[in-house]
Amino acid sequence: MRYLVFIITALFLTSCEKGLELFQEKDLLERPTSKRCADCHQDIYNQFKESRHAMAWVSSEFKRSSENYSKEKCLSCHAPYEITINEKPKLRDFHREDGVNCVACHFRDSTNSMHGPYSVFSPPHPSTQDLTYTKSEICSGCHQETYKQWKAVNTEKNCQQCHMPAEKGSLIQKFPFTYMHLPKEVHNHSFIVPKPKPDFFVVKAEKLDNSLKLSILNKKVPHNVPTADNGKPKYYVDVIFLKDGKEVFSDNITILPNEPFINGKEKILEFNSPIPFDKVKVVLSRKLSWQDKAEKIATYDF
């Protein structure tokens, strides 16, 4: 039944110019807010509206760090007019509260159409297939430092695999357009920042009298951690010194983006305990820029 509706509708629309005009919605080519895109792409919008991209301009963290929007160099990536490859985008002068919105990423002035990874039949607006959306390069304009770090790792894993995982589904929920598309791999638009698994790091410890030499290797995160072009994400290394099963001392080191865990490179940290110890517990945690509390990644016992 689904395919019959698709065939009949497609034949009608392609057979007459008036059929296409009936479904064209010209305001979609005038850079509307993301809420307008939800009329057809409800599932994607529901993910997006909870994302950091949606809150990029209005978040209290950004308002504070940009000193109430006075730091102009910080603004354009939080309300871009149109994202560009390897170049910082221009700041738009409308709908800034919409953050990094749908049209900033998907509409192109050069073609006057929406762009995405699929070749689709799209009566409400022109649509252009662009395979750049399947590559990390699409993120390079705003996330320049992290992109450089990722490129240096020379991995086959791209940004989308971790931060926009895909599931089979429908691009469109609005009738009748939902029947014009077969199920596709639809990428998650909440732009997640997945928590690394314990085996993403290799942690080694060496005891020297009352001191501890700790080696931590970022083995599987394909860029620095923490990483940020802006903001202040942090990793924490907490060490608990034990003697006969009881805690005798504790210490910690905060890891910032300027001295991160670099993929494939051991980072050496040294701790000293004023009290003799025979065992240690190492707790690795992270706190993203917008988080109120740190979240534990893993515990290692030595």
Side-chain angles (χ1 to χ4, degrees):
M1 181 64 181
R2 178 188 181 96
Y3 304 113
L4 180 61
V5 173
F6 168 77
I7 292 169
I8 293 174
T9 306
L11 286 173
F12 168 72
L13 291 175
T14 54
S15 65
C16 62
E17 186 175 339
K18 288 186 177 181
L20 281 172
E21 288 180 354
L22 180 65
F23 288 104
Q24 286 179 352
E25 301 177 34
K26 299 188 186 310
D27 69 299
L28 292 174
L29 306 183
E30 298 173 355
R31 296 186 174 272
T33 65
S34 295
K35 187 69 173 70
R36 176 68 176 88
C37 303
D39 289 351
C40 289
H41 305 282
Q42 185 67 54
D43 290 350
I44 289 176
Y45 174 75
N46 286 342
Q47 295 169 352
F48 163 81
K49 70 179 182 179
E50 303 299 328
S51 73
R52 300 307 301 176
H53 278 189
M55 294 182 278
W57 186 267
V58 298
S59 74
S60 57
E61 297 88 4
F62 179 61
K63 189 173 182 179
R64 181 173 60 253
S65 63
S66 65
E67 297 181 4
N68 200 25
Y69 310 114
S70 64
K71 290 185 176 180
E72 294 187 5
K73 68 176 184 178
C74 303
L75 303 184
S76 64
C77 284
H78 287 254
Y81 177 75
E82 183 176 305
I83 62 168
T84 50
I85 304 302
N86 291 320
E87 294 182 9
K88 192 174 181 179
K90 295 180 180 178
L91 175 66
R92 67 175 182 268
D93 58 5
F94 55 94
H95 301 322
R96 289 181 178 177
E97 71 288 347
D98 213 26
V100 187
N101 62 6
C102 301
V103 293
C105 289
H106 288 283
F107 187 73
R108 294 285 184 267
D109 280 348
S110 59
T111 58
N112 198 38
S113 72
M114 299 294 177
H115 283 224
Y118 296 117
S119 176
V120 294
F121 181 56
S122 178
H125 58 73
S127 184
T128 301
Q129 184 180 26
D130 187 343
L131 295 182
T132 307
Y133 286 82
T134 66
K135 303 174 183 178
S136 295
E137 283 77 5
I138 198 71
C139 310
S140 64
C142 286
H143 301 280
Q144 293 185 9
E145 289 303 316
T146 305
Y147 174 73
K148 289 176 185 176
Q149 297 160 13
W150 168 86
K151 198 168 184 179
V153 174
N154 194 26
T155 177
E156 293 182 0
K157 182 174 288 188
N158 61 28
C159 302
Q160 292 88 336
Q161 286 174 270
C162 290
H163 299 285
M164 298 182 70
E167 291 184 357
K168 204 83 167 181
S170 176
L171 288 169
I172 298 171
Q173 285 69 55
K174 185 177 181 178
F175 179 85
F177 307 121
T178 186
Y179 292 104
M180 297 180 187
H181 298 272
L182 297 175
K184 293 177 173 62
E185 291 293 313
V186 182
H187 286 269
N188 190 307
H189 282 66
S190 59
F191 305 99
I192 63 173
V193 184
K195 185 172 70 172
K197 297 179 180 179
D199 67 347
F200 281 25
F201 298 90
V202 177
V203 181
K204 299 177 182 179
E206 181 182 358
K207 184 178 184 297
L208 301 169
D209 296 325
N210 285 343
S211 67
L212 178 72
K213 182 179 178 181
L214 204 61
S215 165
I216 300 180
L217 171 68
N218 170 10
K219 183 181 179 182
K220 294 186 178 181
V221 182
H223 53 70
N224 295 357
V225 287
T227 182
D229 281 67
N230 293 292
K232 295 181 179 179
K234 301 176 179 69
Y235 267 59
Y236 301 105
V237 181
D238 289 277
V239 177
I240 301 169
F241 296 86
L242 304 169
K243 178 68 173 177
D244 299 327
K246 296 182 179 180
E247 179 179 339
V248 294
F249 185 68
S250 64
D251 199 1
N252 65 80
I253 290 178
T254 299
I255 308 298
L256 299 173
N258 61 332
E259 293 184 345
F261 296 118
I262 299 172
N263 178 276
K265 183 178 180 180
E266 286 186 323
K267 188 175 184 65
I268 304 299
L269 305 173
E270 295 185 358
F271 298 83
N272 293 288
S273 172
I275 303 172
F277 64 94
D278 53 24
K279 291 184 179 181
V280 295
K281 184 186 295 288
V282 178
V283 180
L284 186 63
S285 308
R286 75 170 187 182
K287 181 177 177 293
L288 301 176
S289 298
W290 58 88
Q291 290 179 319
D292 295 325
K293 297 180 180 179
E295 56 181 347
K296 184 170 71 173
I297 293 172
T299 299
Y300 308 87
D301 295 302
F302 300 98

